[in-house]
Amino acid sequence: MFNNRIKVKALLAGEPAGQQATVMGWVRTFRNNQFVALNDGSTNNNLQVVLELGKFDDTLLKRITTSAALKVTGTVVASQGKGQKLELKADTIEILGDSDAEKYPLQPKKHSLEFLREKAHLRFRTNTFGSVFRIRHSLAFAIHKFFNEKGFVYLHTPIITASDAEGAGEMFRVSTLPFDNPPRREDGTIDFSEDFFGRATNLTVSGQLEGELGATAFGEIYTFGPTFRAENSNTARHLAEFWMIEPEMAFCDLEDNANLAEEFIQYIIRYAMEHNADDLEFLRQRLLEEEKAKPQTERSELDLIQKLEFVVNNQFERITYTEAIDILLQSNHYKKKKFQYDVSWGIDMQSEHERYLVEKHFKKPVIVTNYPKDIKAFYMRQNEDGKTVAAMDILAPGIGEIVGGSQREERLERLEQRMTEMNIPHEELWWYLDTRRFGTVPHAGFGLGFERIVQFVTGMSNIRDVIAFPRTPKSAEF
RNA sequence: UCCUCCUUAGCUCAGUUGGUUAGAGCAUCUGACUGUUAAUCAGAGGGUCGUUGGUUCAAGUCCAACAGGGGGAGCCA
């Protein structure tokens, strides 16, 4: 029986009234042969367990090492020391699991994030990762809560997909054919008709196309699942395996889409602020410490919590692509030739351009709409000007593109014409085109990279530190 | 994938123009102390200097390749 335990979070929230309590957790530090800082993952705050001198065996005390698992029963009393309101005066201590101090790699001190990345199986036991992953959980939960309250259906789109039409990037092949000697056709190409699914299949790069099938029946759906890109991207904001949220709404245009995206982002951030105040406070302090090493000019004006409050309490800026280009062209930054890449209408904005708009010009999240059709996907709705499509990107300070979405082309002829222009095989997407044949309606949706919003909320600068076990090129340990 | 920087003790790092036995703080271990907050004090152990090859009388130090990692860029979410 273990369920008589009280979690540290609950215990710390109560009053020290001399009541009995049993806690279980892992030792963070053992000071003075007398004070155990015990953490059970329910909160960043440790419980101070006090061991009366002489009350416990030396052999037991020797086994209270960093990260040993303990069961402690004792009396909850007001703390005599500073730093905590209450503490647990131990009556009995049971070592549930020993931890060899000479071999345990984490010390009660500050470790670099790079080092902890190589100890990803243990990094949850640190304050930073404890906070990050509790916040990650809250955001995931808030996402389901938000859509559920709005009547969206949670649709599970396939992980294995046969369509390569989305063009969202390089894909991971899924196959049971032998690598060393795959069956070949007469022309030497691999014969996938003999593969498991009878055709070439890959891991999904997006659930959007299937999402549209759901939206044109349920009205409003969302997906929230793993997504895979085999791009050789080595950056602080890319993963080969990441989680994406893709809502898709029928009877919805670009403006409705932008409104929903903004409301959604504010909702989930607000949820984390309400439910993870301690974790955010810890991360706020952590970032302040980190910024002390930087020159004053590079430090951020707002701390983490101020930044989140600002985002939650202010409307996102909304501009068209054309306006964005004008702002860039008229900026002093451009006139002084400080952009590495040139600016003109029709370019796919580089991250330096996006960063200028978001971090220098507006200093808040920006929704950019109506991009040139030539730099966007085939399924986006063509605007009447013949040049742009009803696309929408949300750019966030410090992260870049956090949301990419659009109103979809619901007119069959326009969609087919665009697919032809972009060399997208019609026959492969017959099922997608059927939505436009049978009761087509204006609809829209977007994709939000989950890890990027977790980065934004936690202030972690590397995406590998907001997913438990990151998959990146040349790296799939754990 | 491109540019750039890094790799020395368990961790964070120092190591001079190439020169004998490679250092510090923390951690660990031993002891002391005991209301501590990354406890403190004293002592001890701990190293194939990322790997391979080269230059040299002599390489942690110079050169090359490879591996891993950081930062920036591209691709994107």
Side-chain angles (χ1 to χ4, degrees):
Chain A
M1 274 289 279
F2 286 97
N3 64 5
N4 60 342
R5 77 178 173 115
I6 179 169
K7 291 203 179 185
V8 168
K9 185 181 184 180
L11 194 145
L12 290 177
E15 290 301 316
Q19 71 273 34
Q20 282 284 112
T22 297
V23 295
M24 298 177 204
W26 295 268
V27 176
R28 284 288 172 81
T29 62
F30 184 27
R31 290 184 292 268
N32 230 348
N33 256 0
Q34 206 181 165
F35 302 98
V36 177
L38 195 74
N39 188 284
D40 70 354
S42 61
T43 163
N44 239 0
N45 301 311
N46 301 325
L47 174 68
Q48 172 150 290
V49 176
V50 183
L51 284 61
E52 214 175 291
L53 282 170
K55 180 164 182 167
F56 299 94
D57 252 31
D58 270 2
T59 49
L60 180 82
L61 296 181
K62 286 258 180 262
R63 293 172 66 198
I64 302 177
T65 54
T66 304
S67 235
L70 303 189
K71 173 182 179 180
V72 184
T73 301
T75 316
V76 183
V77 297
S79 178
Q80 294 175 35
K82 291 168 189 168
Q84 60 278 318
K85 184 177 79 174
L86 54 81
E87 59 196 23
L88 186 70
K89 221 172 131 189
D91 291 326
T92 62
I93 295 176
E94 187 185 333
I95 311 276
L96 297 174
D98 288 285
S99 172
D100 185 339
E102 286 198 70
K103 290 180 184 152
Y104 184 68
L106 304 186
Q107 299 153 27
K109 72 165 206 175
K110 194 165 180 171
H111 284 294
S112 69
L113 295 172
E114 293 80 23
F115 171 72
L116 292 170
R117 224 169 276 153
E118 291 170 14
K119 305 279 179 288
H121 57 310
L122 297 171
R123 65 180 178 170
F124 301 123
R125 301 186 186 193
T126 64
N127 286 328
T128 299
F129 286 92
S131 288
V132 166
F133 284 94
R134 273 187 298 272
I135 290 168
R136 183 182 166 112
H137 160 77
S138 285
L139 290 170
F141 186 80
I143 285 163
H144 288 297
K145 190 164 183 281
F146 175 83
F147 286 121
N148 186 55
E149 284 168 3
K150 290 208 170 284
F152 283 55
V153 167
Y154 177 26
L155 186 69
H156 296 97
T157 51
I159 307 293
I160 298 172
T161 170
S163 72
D164 187 16
E166 233 252 307
E170 289 296 308
M171 302 174 96
F172 287 102
R173 168 127 302 152
V174 175
S175 174
T176 55
L177 293 177
F179 290 125
D180 43 357
N181 187 25
R184 292 182 187 277
R185 295 195 199 86
E186 281 182 14
D187 61 2
T189 57
I190 294 173
D191 184 4
F192 285 104
S193 68
E194 294 200 25
D195 205 347
F196 187 90
F197 294 105
R199 58 197 300 172
T201 51
N202 300 290
L203 293 178
T204 182
V205 292
S206 165
Q208 183 202 315
L209 301 188
E210 289 90 348
E212 288 185 45
L213 310 181
T216 50
F218 296 108
E220 292 167 322
I221 65 96
Y222 71 105
T223 73
F224 185 0
T227 310
F228 307 87
R229 305 272 166 93
E231 300 286 350
N232 192 7
S233 295
N234 293 288
T235 77
R237 56 190 182 282
H238 287 90
L239 292 164
E241 176 183 292
F242 62 101
W243 289 67
M244 188 153 66
I245 298 103
E246 294 180 289
E248 193 69 36
M249 295 80 70
F251 321 112
C252 179
D253 65 14
L254 188 66
E255 194 182 343
D256 300 320
N257 198 22
N259 288 343
L260 184 92
E262 177 173 344
E263 183 188 350
F264 169 63
I265 289 171
Q266 290 178 331
Y267 179 97
I268 64 174
I269 292 176
R270 200 175 287 124
Y271 185 90
M273 293 175 79
E274 283 167 13
H275 292 81
N276 297 81
D278 286 350
D279 292 319
L280 285 168
E281 174 57 23
F282 175 82
L283 293 171
R284 184 183 81 89
Q285 294 288 353
R286 191 187 162 278
L287 281 178
L288 289 177
E289 285 295 316
E290 205 173 63
E291 293 220 323
K292 279 185 188 168
K294 291 185 188 170
Q296 199 121 35
T297 49
E298 285 176 31
R299 294 181 200 169
S300 29
E301 293 170 31
L302 303 178
D303 72 25
L304 179 65
I305 291 174
Q306 288 168 333
K307 177 187 84 174
L308 297 178
E309 273 167 356
F310 185 85
V311 168
V312 160
N313 294 325
N314 289 278
Q315 291 205 310
F316 295 3
E317 196 65 40
R318 296 192 191 196
I319 55 170
T320 64
Y321 168 87
T322 304
E323 288 163 348
I325 294 294
D326 282 345
I327 289 168
L328 291 173
L329 288 174
Q330 281 164 28
S331 68
N332 280 330
H333 210 75
Y334 177 78
K335 287 171 184 162
K336 290 181 185 165
K337 300 195 192 304
K338 282 194 185 166
F339 287 122
Q340 195 190 334
Y341 294 86
D342 199 16
V343 179
S344 65
W345 198 96
I347 60 159
D348 203 353
M349 278 189 278
Q350 303 293 315
S351 40
E352 60 172 349
H353 303 139
E354 296 181 345
R355 217 180 299 137
Y356 177 84
L357 285 172
V358 172
E359 290 166 18
K360 295 264 164 46
H361 190 82
F362 289 115
K363 299 186 176 182
K364 60 155 121 173
V366 179
I367 306 181
V368 184
T369 55
N370 298 312
Y371 283 79
K373 65 176 181 182
D374 291 334
I375 59 171
K376 288 293 182 183
F378 75 91
Y379 50 73
M380 295 188 179
R381 192 177 198 277
Q382 298 163 61
N383 289 328
E384 296 315 311
D385 60 13
K387 298 190 302 187
T388 61
V389 289
M392 150 194 109
D393 282 1
I394 300 184
L395 312 175
I399 310 286
E401 185 179 340
I402 201 161
V403 161
S406 67
Q407 185 174 342
R408 318 307 187 188
E409 181 55 79
E410 85 282 8
R411 298 161 295 188
L412 180 63
E413 277 181 27
R414 304 290 289 270
L415 181 60
E416 289 190 312
Q417 160 226 325
R418 196 76 190 117
M419 287 170 73
T420 304
E421 284 169 14
M422 296 174 80
N423 290 320
I424 310 248
H426 295 223
E427 47 307 339
E428 243 184 67
L429 290 179
W430 63 272
W431 46 270
Y432 180 70
L433 292 169
D434 263 7
T435 55
R436 275 65 170 176
R437 293 190 178 104
F438 309 117
T440 190
V441 291
H443 63 291
F446 60 86
L448 175 132
F450 184 53
E451 281 75 17
R452 290 198 180 163
I453 194 80
V454 180
Q455 272 189 279
F456 184 74
V457 174
T458 58
M460 300 298 282
S461 54
N462 195 313
I463 199 165
R464 298 164 197 207
D465 297 328
V466 299
I467 188 164
F469 304 108
R471 269 80 180 101
T472 54
K474 300 269 155 43
S475 173
E477 189 76 55
F478 309 106

